[in-house]
Amino acid sequence: MKSFLYKIPLILMLIGSFVHAQDEVLTKEEAINLILENNLDIKVARNTKLIDENNADILNSGYLPSVTGNASGSIDKQNSEGVLANGDTRRAEGAETRRYNAAVNVNYTLFDGLGRYYNYKSFQERSEQSELEVRQTIENTILQLFTVYYEAARLTENTATLEQALEISKDRLKRAQYQFEFGQNTGLDVLNAEVDINTDSINLLNSKQQLRNTMRDLNLILNRDLSAQFTADTTVTFVPGLQMENMYNEAQINNVRLQIVEKDINMGLNDIRIAKSGYLPTVGLTGAYGWNESSNNSPLAFALQNTSTGVTGTVNLTWNLFDGGTTITGIKNAKIAYQNQEIAKKQIQLEVERDIRNAWDSYTNALYVLQVQEKNLQTNQNNFTRTDERYKLGQVTSIEFRQAQLNLLNAELAKSQAKYNAKLAEIQMLQVSGQLLNVDF
């Protein structure tokens, strides 16, 4: 046991050097900036948003005409024979005819039953929905970020608390050894103190290992070097003046899930209108500018060379009087899909109401627990101070002293856990109410 006891300080010194080397304090603002810049899920969501923005552009609307150009050329060699009016016969061996033409064609749909209009509106709705999805990804990622960040902060506090507990146990061991040397106690107190040092040392080792693992988890979320060293900010401030009624009203307006499903409903309504456009005619305009040239070296040809240019324009109307029921079926299906979207909205509204009420209860309960743990910590601090004084006077046993020390340690750890639980509950409530990106952390 003693050989292991002598090795523990060396192990703690090596791990302590790792912890103290972490001079960089990663503030909450810096963590948010890093995650907005580097997180891979956010990058994918933003790229998807760019695609939807391109789809909603005028170039993809169908409102612009299509212009095509074409050109061709041909060479024809023929042997021909002809009889003139005076009865003479003429022959042309290998007579060559060349033909060239080029044209520019313009096609434009003047009216398509408003299908193009509502399709363009759906693309715009989808672009706005994609922006909301980016916000949703950012909110979820920030919640994930602070879940890990505050865990790192909690473990940082725990590690410092366990270090203090180890120092207290070391002082107790020195005191027990002095008392044993002067015959004031038995060797049992020394052995108990050594056992408690081993226990505190192992707890500290485990806490530091958990802290290193959590730091790597945070670096992974931030998409940076997993071995990057930092120190988490353990300061926690709560948003003042939160009220249940206000949170509920904000959730009905700003909750990102409700806003996304609202865009689905708008697009579903546009789908019905697009399907109904099949009942209306399509009016189109076509125009062309062409150039033609032909040459013929045959003596029998009426003209040896001919060139022509010209402009043509056409207005056409197409009305599909009956398409076998395809339009009717499309309208029915679009209406059913629209009804499903309205049902989904009602379901999400109920879920959001449940989530905001659950989040509020969790938040208020966590704040209450924090207050209780703060009072409990103060009580245990006072108790340990008195016990320490009496222990020095020999009025309490080492077992009683150790129990007071453990009570204080547990109270400190519980208070730290309650603090971060309350902050995470607040963040979750802010997310459900749609206010997560509007507050300072």
Side-chain angles (χ1 to χ4, degrees), residues 38-220:
N38 298 332
N39 184 265
L40 300 180
D41 290 336
I42 294 177
K43 287 184 177 181
V44 170
R46 285 173 173 165
N47 286 338
T48 302
K49 176 178 176 292
L50 292 177
I51 293 175
D52 292 323
E53 286 179 350
N54 292 335
N55 290 335
D57 191 76
I58 189 66
L59 297 175
N60 192 49
S61 65
Y63 278 107
L64 300 180
S66 63
V67 181
T68 59
N70 56 72
S72 65
S74 65
I75 300 177
D76 185 16
K77 289 187 176 182
Q78 298 288 339
N79 296 325
S80 59
E81 180 180 301
V83 180
L84 302 180
N86 59 6
D88 294 339
T89 301
R90 292 187 180 181
R91 293 183 176 83
E93 300 291 338
E96 185 177 276
T97 303
R98 295 175 179 266
R99 298 182 180 86
Y100 305 97
N101 63 78
V104 177
N105 302 301
V106 179
N107 291 280
Y108 184 68
T109 301
L110 298 174
F111 179 76
D112 67 345
L114 297 178
R116 172 179 55 182
Y117 171 75
Y118 290 114
N119 191 54
Y120 183 48
K121 288 191 64 176
S122 286
F123 279 131
Q124 292 177 322
E125 292 284 351
R126 174 54 196 156
S127 178
E128 294 174 1
Q129 185 184 60
S130 182
E131 185 173 353
L132 291 171
E133 289 172 350
V134 172
R135 174 190 152 193
Q136 185 179 44
T137 302
I138 291 175
E139 287 183 357
N140 292 336
T141 306
I142 287 179
L143 179 60
Q144 181 186 17
L145 164 68
F146 279 111
T147 300
V148 181
Y149 184 93
Y150 283 131
E151 177 65 9
R154 184 186 71 85
L155 289 171
T156 300
E157 286 189 351
N158 288 1
T159 300
T161 300
L162 291 170
E163 286 176 344
Q164 293 175 356
L166 180 60
E167 291 301 320
I168 293 174
S169 296
K170 288 180 179 179
D171 291 340
R172 176 186 156 206
L173 175 61
K174 291 179 181 179
R175 188 180 303 151
Q177 289 173 337
Y178 290 149
Q179 292 174 345
F180 176 71
E181 291 175 358
F182 289 98
Q184 296 179 358
N185 63 19
T186 64
L188 181 61
D189 288 339
V190 176
L191 293 177
N192 287 337
E194 289 179 348
V195 170
D196 292 338
I197 284 181
N198 288 340
T199 301
D200 293 343
S201 299
I202 292 172
N203 291 337
L204 180 58
L205 286 172
N206 291 335
S207 179
K208 290 184 176 181
Q209 178 62 49
Q210 293 173 4
L211 178 58
R212 292 196 299 274
N213 292 344
T214 304
M215 288 179 174
R216 281 188 282 267
D217 291 339
L218 186 57
N219 285 329
L220 177 64

